[in-house]
Amino acid sequence: MAVSVTQMSIIVGILGALSFIFGVIAENKKPAAGTPITGKGVVICKYPSDPTVALGYLSFAFLVASTVAGYLSLFYPYKGKSVPQSVLFQSASFSTFFSISLFTGGLAATLLLWPTITEQFHLTRKVHHNLETTCPTAKTGLLGGGAFVSLDSALFWLVSLMLADNAREDYFEEVENECKPEYNAPAHLKGTA
């Protein structure tokens, strides 16, 4: 099945948008704190049921899918023609955006996973021996921030894909010109055919 640059960009964009949406919803659904219930020498935290953990993991999963699709889209042999990676990395713009895409993908993963795992720990470890506990939840704002960085990552992958497509077109144009007899002719014979 042949895939085009446009189709890959749509896939990367949709996956990035889904990661963003799930991350924002997870941030909005996260409770501020649990309700402490005091027992004999312990405090049991009762948390309202919320989908924060599931939504956080979904957001992370779509981020990973978007990052993998973005990475693969850069080096995919469109129309059965592959380009050496060295050609792509000769462009300073491509190298810069490629690096930024990888960095923002990693940062988004950290910002999404850290509060999601922390929230899961809070929900599963409800019994505290510290009678002063306030039944905390994960730090507010990290999931939302991770969602925005996830969307940024997808956008940087799209810019990298556009730059790779331009480099690919230039490379094949240069290869075609080298194959033409007029291109390889001595300078005094060029344009006289």
Side-chain angles (χ1 to χ4, degrees):
M1 179 179 147
V3 180
S4 70
V5 173
T6 305
Q7 290 170 325
M8 287 304 289
S9 62
I10 290 170
I11 291 168
V12 171
I14 288 173
L15 292 171
L18 287 171
S19 175
F20 168 73
I21 290 167
F22 284 123
V24 169
I25 294 172
E27 179 68 47
N28 289 334
K29 295 289 184 182
K30 188 180 81 58
T35 306
I37 302 169
T38 307
K40 279 188 172 181
V42 294
V43 172
I44 300 170
C45 293
K46 181 175 166 72
Y47 292 98
S49 64
D50 68 280
T52 302
V53 173
L55 291 171
Y57 284 129
L58 274 173
S59 179
F60 173 74
F62 280 110
L63 167 67
V64 169
S66 173
T67 300
V68 168
Y71 182 85
L72 294 177
S73 71
L74 301 178
F75 307 110
Y76 183 81
Y78 297 101
K79 298 178 185 172
K81 299 177 182 178
S82 62
V83 176
Q85 290 183 8
S86 60
V87 170
L88 297 176
F89 285 103
Q90 285 176 352
S91 166
S93 299
F94 175 81
S95 297
T96 302
F97 277 97
F98 179 78
S99 299
I100 291 171
S101 301
L102 286 176
F103 174 75
T104 55
L107 180 62
T110 302
L111 290 173
L112 289 172
L113 277 181
W114 179 16
T116 302
I117 292 170
T118 303
E119 187 72 12
Q120 186 175 10
F121 283 150
H122 287 307
L123 295 176
T124 55
R125 298 177 180 163
K126 298 178 183 182
V127 178
H128 301 277
H129 295 287
N130 178 4
L131 299 176
E132 302 295 320
T133 191
T134 57
C135 296
T137 59
K139 190 165 179 70
T140 302
L142 289 179
L143 277 168
F148 278 100
V149 177
S150 177
L151 183 62
D152 291 342
S153 175
L155 295 175
F156 281 121
W157 283 116
L158 292 176
V159 171
S160 298
L161 180 56
M162 288 188 296
L163 292 170
D165 191 41
N166 289 344
R168 189 176 288 109
E169 287 175 8
D170 293 344
Y171 173 77
F172 287 125
E173 188 175 296
E174 189 175 302
V175 168
E176 284 178 17
N177 286 339
E178 287 178 359
C179 293
K180 291 181 180 176
E182 183 180 305
Y183 187 81
N184 293 325
H188 68 280
L189 295 178
K190 286 186 181 179
T192 59

